[in-house]
Amino acid sequence: MVGIVIVSHSEKLAESIVDLTRMMADGANIVAAGGLEDGSFGTSYDRIKEAIEKVYSAEGVIILMDMGSAVMTTEMVLEEFDAGSKIRMVDAPIVESAVAASVSALCGNSIEDIIAEIEETKNAAKF
Amino acid sequence: MTDQKKVVDILLGMGRVMEENKEFLTDLDNTIGDGDHGINMARGFAEVEKQAEGLAGKDIGNILKTTGMTLVSKVGGSSGPLYGTAFMKAGMTIGAKTEIGMDDFLGGLEAGIEGVKARGKSTTGEKTMLDSMVPALEAMKEKQAAGADVKAVLEAGVAAAEAGVEATKPMVATKGRASYLGERSVGHQDPGATSFAFLLKEICNAY
């Protein structure tokens, strides 16, 4: 199953997004990488790296981020992995895309198909 | 010429300056950002200080690369990947040297600035650290080309960096957290540009 990592400045926000996905996709391979080691807001290189390693498989990993350093720190973590590793950062609304990705991953879809579904959340109007 | 020990001493000095200005930088960042710049920079350089003993035996490229990695791992905000990338790129460009001169320094800084631009997908005029980095580099290159001594080159860089910080005040932020404020960011100096001016001044004070 494709793995999913939620990167946020907030530990609670990242964990809550993971919890929220369980409503529809309990059993998806999704983990949180939020906040700093001391519990404060920020993005932790080590937490992101550990989270990716935890859900990594040959099927790949999708990373969803909030903003700023979450994106830049994730980029730097990815530079440490082999160029052949199937790890993709996707730019999309973090809550909606986490739900869409976890449902799709649990259904056994490929990373390419899941990313295509996530991309659709960018254009989905709420009303 | 500057040897490994001096580079480590300067890094330790940078840590002291970040600690001393922690509140000031955080206050600046409270106004237009997320209020963590001073705390983050001080935390990052405190980690660099912890590694200082191990750094001293390495070549200068390695010292800078290790410093960059530490900042990326420990800072926690955008200044981590940005300054971290700058130090790592500078280290890669300077390479396995045990002594460096002004040309090496300027080459390293230029590579660092290119790294910041690429990492932040940013350029000058967007109210970021680049607005003090780029004018400082240009001023120093000019002085160096005119044959000035090390101190005069660095002083020209500090003056240009500080003028660059002032120049961020009327700018509208279009990158980073301050961009959420848009027009409301006008009138305030950029914290990242300010921290770079402090770091460069610390280098200058070492000569």
Side-chain angles (χ1 to χ4, degrees), chain A residues 9 36-38 40-46 67-73 75-76 79-80, chain B residues 34 36 40 43 69 72-78 81-82 84-85 88 119-121 177 180:
Chain A
H9 282 66
L36 298 179
E37 281 77 1
D38 64 3
S40 61
F41 292 119
T43 48
S44 158
Y45 186 95
D46 291 339
M67 58 210 156
S69 65
V71 179
M72 286 190 281
T73 307
E75 277 176 2
M76 296 201 76
E79 285 167 15
E80 211 184 295
Chain B
D34 51 0
D36 60 6
N40 285 347
R43 175 173 46 221
M69 269 317 296
V72 173
S73 316
K74 298 297 174 187
V75 167
S78 293
L82 292 169
T85 298
M88 286 160 73
R119 180 71 60 204
K121 296 170 187 68
R177 204 63 76 86
Y180 290 94

Side-chain angles (χ1 to χ4, degrees), chain A residues 74-93:
Chain A
T74 304
E75 277 176 2
M76 296 201 76
V77 172
L78 295 197
E79 285 167 15
E80 211 184 295
F81 284 84
D82 292 339
S85 306
K86 228 174 175 180
I87 309 173
R88 305 279 181 272
M89 298 166 67
V90 186
D91 178 5

Side-chain angles (χ1 to χ4, degrees), chain B residues 84-108:
Chain B
T85 298
F87 275 95
M88 286 160 73
K89 294 285 181 195
M92 284 177 216
T93 301
I94 286 169
K97 291 181 182 154
T98 54
E99 273 197 329
I100 55 169
M102 185 51 76
D103 285 330
D104 297 305
F105 171 69
L106 294 178

Side-chain angles (χ1 to χ4, degrees), chain A residues 10-122:
Chain A
S10 158
E11 183 171 357
K12 283 183 185 167
L13 181 57
E15 283 172 1
S16 288
I17 290 173
V18 169
D19 286 344
L20 185 62
T21 66
R22 305 229 185 276
M23 288 175 69
M24 288 184 68
D26 196 7
N29 191 19
I30 179 169
V31 291
L36 298 179
E37 281 77 1
D38 64 3
S40 61
F41 292 119
T43 48
S44 158
Y45 186 95
D46 291 339
R47 282 192 171 184
I48 297 168
K49 189 170 169 230
E50 281 160 22
I52 295 170
E53 284 166 350
K54 199 168 167 189
V55 298
Y56 188 79
S57 73
E59 290 172 79
V61 176
I62 286 170
I63 308 178
L64 303 167
M65 304 130 295
D66 59 13
M67 58 210 156
S69 65
V71 179
M72 286 190 281
T73 307
T74 304
E75 277 176 2
M76 296 201 76
V77 172
L78 295 197
E79 285 167 15
E80 211 184 295
F81 284 84
D82 292 339
S85 306
K86 228 174 175 180
I87 309 173
R88 305 279 181 272
M89 298 166 67
V90 186
D91 178 5
I94 191 164
V95 178
E96 290 85 341
S97 61
V99 172
S102 54
V103 170
S104 187
L106 193 59
C107 294
N109 290 329
S110 69
I111 190 165
E112 291 79 13
D113 289 343
I114 298 171
I115 290 172
E117 285 183 42
I118 293 175
E119 295 285 348
E120 283 177 24
T121 65
K122 277 188 180 179

Side-chain angles (χ1 to χ4, degrees), chain B residues 1 4 6 23 64 77-78 80 86-87 91 95 97 99 118 120 127 136 140-141 181 184 187 203 207:
Chain B
M1 295 296 269
Q4 296 139 285
K6 182 137 184 153
E23 298 295 323
L64 297 177
S78 293
F87 275 95
K97 291 181 182 154
E99 273 197 329
K127 204 177 181 95
M140 288 191 284
K141 276 165 108 176
L181 293 174
R184 283 168 290 162
I203 297 175
Y207 292 87

Side-chain angles (χ1 to χ4, degrees), chain B residues 24-151:
Chain B
F24 176 64
L25 290 171
T26 292
D27 286 348
L28 291 179
D29 196 28
N30 259 326
T31 313
I32 58 168
D34 51 0
D36 60 6
H37 189 52
I39 295 163
N40 285 347
M41 291 296 282
R43 175 173 46 221
F45 274 96
E47 287 294 326
V48 173
E49 190 183 338
K50 285 185 195 162
Q51 299 177 359
E53 253 177 66
L55 286 177
K58 297 184 174 184
D59 62 63
I60 293 172
N62 243 314
I63 292 171
L64 297 177
K65 279 189 276 182
T66 307
T67 299
M69 269 317 296
T70 304
L71 294 177
V72 173
S73 316
K74 298 297 174 187
V75 167
S78 293
S79 46
L82 292 169
Y83 276 118
T85 298
F87 275 95
M88 286 160 73
K89 294 285 181 195
M92 284 177 216
T93 301
I94 286 169
K97 291 181 182 154
T98 54
E99 273 197 329
I100 55 169
M102 185 51 76
D103 285 330
D104 297 305
F105 171 69
L106 294 178
L109 181 59
E110 181 148 31
I113 289 171
E114 290 309 311
V116 170
K117 285 181 180 171
R119 180 71 60 204
K121 296 170 187 68
S122 183
T123 184
T124 49
E126 296 182 318
K127 204 177 181 95
T128 72
M129 59 172 72
L130 288 170
D131 292 309
S132 65
M133 291 176 126
V134 171
L137 175 66
E138 283 169 4
M140 288 191 284
K141 276 165 108 176
E142 201 174 300
K143 274 278 176 192
Q144 172 74 352
D149 64 20
V150 168
K151 185 76 179 176

